[in-house]
Amino acid sequence: MTFVFRTAHGDYQLDPTVLDGEADVEMLLKVEGIPSSSTSLYGKRHHSEALQLIGTSRRSINSLISSFDEILIRPDRNIDYASIIGRETTIATTEEPVASYNFVSHGSDAPSVNKEFSQAECRDFVAKNVCDFLDKITVDERPIVVGVSGGGDSNTLLHALAADSRISVSQLVPVMMLGIPDWDRGVDRAREICADLGLELRIVDRSQVNKLLGRSGSDDWPSAFEAHYPDTDLEVIGTLAVRLALSHVARDVGAQAAVTGLNIEDLLSECLLSVFRGRPPLPFPVRTIDGVDIWYPLYRTPKRLIDGCNPKFSLQNYDDRYPSVLYWRALSYYSAQQLATNVPGLEFVLLDGFQALATATKRTPVFSESLGFSAASDLADENIAKWQTFLASQ
């Protein structure tokens, strides 16, 4: 019994023994990297050359083996699938690896490389990405506000900035926003990271954030937000609160920029969500909002390699997280994660495309008098009214 992927470029034998016989053909196609939505199945029965269409890839492998001598899987395009999914992969090993990542140079015949990283190599990789970012901008002697959280991204970023020769450690102003319960659990980890560099963590507490949001009632803005937006994650207002807190401190200390640890998955997810909504992406890796430049030095850095810089802190951070309920947030992140899984290297190609699109369209948030900060220019009146109700609540 054979399973054959028959393309215009030739036949490729698939190995169903990698799966349990009760698994279906769709699972076999996933294992092989073949898009099941663009294929049709045909079977050759015993002692017959006639092809019979099999209407679903949900048939189990065992059931097909009992009925057919051969299964042909035909794609609906004449493209060279082997150049995408059949690329040779080499393994680059290292001592005591904490992470690995697949790198592919698309458009060339070079093999895919699965690179293992030690903790030191993860930190070197992040430092190289930060260095490449700083090469693209001008750094002066003014303070640089850095958002920290106790998680892997921001904490790794702080060390990478401190290690660059263009930046003095004394320029760095680490800031943490408090108010989201699971985020707040990282404050001790954030203080520890800052202490390693001889820096003092500046806290923007719940009461200060309440004022920055424009609320005059109770400083328990997270509970008020959940009451007014029961189907929305605290990450939504939390992301805004971080931006307002960092911008507030940046203005207070006369900083040249506020820096956050958004990684490639964060930026891809944001860009995809913008496109889902029919909007071009916002500019990156430098974005100006309400007069404050925001830097994203880790915009080309995979999350896995950032976590490898401080595995202990990253695990603790994940243990502290609450479940998210927003479908479109989940879909955008899942889509970003699947890019590197299904076609390694595609995430960098797509990110470059989004960056070019953002540069060409020059979309920027627009300051809203009703909100007190910049937001999407097409924000509906009912959304503004609902927000103002939240601000007025006790």
Side-chain angles (χ1 to χ4, degrees), residues 91-128:
I91 309 297
T93 61
T94 192
E95 294 290 330
E96 299 182 2
V98 297
S100 65
Y101 203 79
N102 288 323
F103 295 93
V104 177
S105 177
H106 287 286
S108 76
D109 295 330
S112 169
V113 177
N114 180 264
K115 172 71 176 77
E116 295 180 352
F117 289 81
S118 66
Q119 185 172 1
E121 288 172 327
C122 286
R123 292 175 176 175
D124 289 343
F125 186 91
V126 170
K128 175 64 165 57

Side-chain angles (χ1 to χ4, degrees), residues 33-299:
I34 298 170
S36 60
S37 61
S38 298
T39 59
S40 297
L41 304 183
Y42 300 88
K44 282 186 181 181
R45 289 194 178 274
H46 306 306
H47 312 297
S48 173
E49 290 300 313
L51 290 176
Q52 177 182 330
L53 176 65
I54 301 168
T56 175
S57 58
R58 294 291 188 177
R59 288 278 299 273
S60 74
I61 292 172
N62 279 345
S63 71
L64 294 176
I65 289 176
S66 66
S67 302
F68 300 96
D69 285 334
E70 184 178 45
I71 299 296
L72 294 180
I73 302 159
R74 301 298 302 262
D76 58 15
R77 295 292 175 189
N78 64 343
I79 61 176
D80 185 4
Y81 287 90
S83 67
I84 306 297
I85 62 177
R87 188 185 292 260
E88 179 186 355
T89 299
T90 62
I91 309 297
T93 61
T94 192
E95 294 290 330
E96 299 182 2
V98 297
S100 65
Y101 203 79
N102 288 323
F103 295 93
V104 177
S105 177
H106 287 286
S108 76
D109 295 330
S112 169
V113 177
N114 180 264
K115 172 71 176 77
E116 295 180 352
F117 289 81
S118 66
Q119 185 172 1
E121 288 172 327
C122 286
R123 292 175 176 175
D124 289 343
F125 186 91
V126 170
K128 175 64 165 57
N129 276 254
V130 170
C131 180
D132 290 344
F133 166 80
L134 294 175
D135 286 343
K136 296 179 176 67
I137 64 171
T138 300
V139 180
D140 57 41
E141 296 179 352
R142 288 177 294 166
I144 300 171
V145 169
V146 185
V148 296
S149 65
D153 298 23
S154 58
N155 295 334
T156 299
L157 173 59
L158 186 63
H159 272 91
L161 290 168
D164 194 279
S165 61
R166 285 161 288 195
I167 295 175
S168 168
V169 174
S170 61
Q171 285 181 266
L172 301 176
V173 182
V175 176
M176 184 171 182
M177 182 279 299
L178 296 184
I180 307 292
D182 52 329
W183 294 8
D184 293 355
R185 294 172 185 164
V187 67
D188 289 337
R189 297 192 296 272
R191 284 198 174 102
E192 184 178 337
I193 288 286
C194 294
D196 287 344
L197 295 171
L199 296 171
E200 183 177 351
L201 178 65
R202 179 163 173 171
I203 298 292
V204 179
D205 63 25
R206 175 181 287 194
S207 177
Q208 291 175 286
V209 172
N210 201 53
K211 294 177 182 177
L212 293 173
L213 289 169
R215 285 172 47 84
S216 56
S218 164
D219 66 5
D220 190 6
W221 51 268
S223 295
F225 181 80
E226 289 181 316
H228 284 78
Y229 297 89
D231 298 322
T232 302
D233 294 337
L234 278 176
E235 277 89 351
V236 173
I237 191 171
T239 301
L240 171 63
V242 168
R243 190 186 97 199
L244 295 178
L246 295 182
S247 297
H248 168 73
V249 176
R251 296 187 191 98
D252 185 51
V253 301
Q256 58 189 296
V259 188
T260 69
L262 269 68
N263 57 64
I264 187 171
E265 291 171 13
D266 292 323
L267 267 300
L268 281 174
S269 174
E270 179 190 89
C271 291
L272 287 168
L273 188 58
S274 292
V275 173
F276 291 163
R277 293 172 171 171
R279 301 167 179 164
L282 290 168
F284 65 90
V286 175
R287 182 178 302 169
T288 303
I289 304 179
D290 295 334
V292 175
D293 284 349
I294 302 175
W295 295 351
Y296 305 125
L298 302 184
Y299 76 109

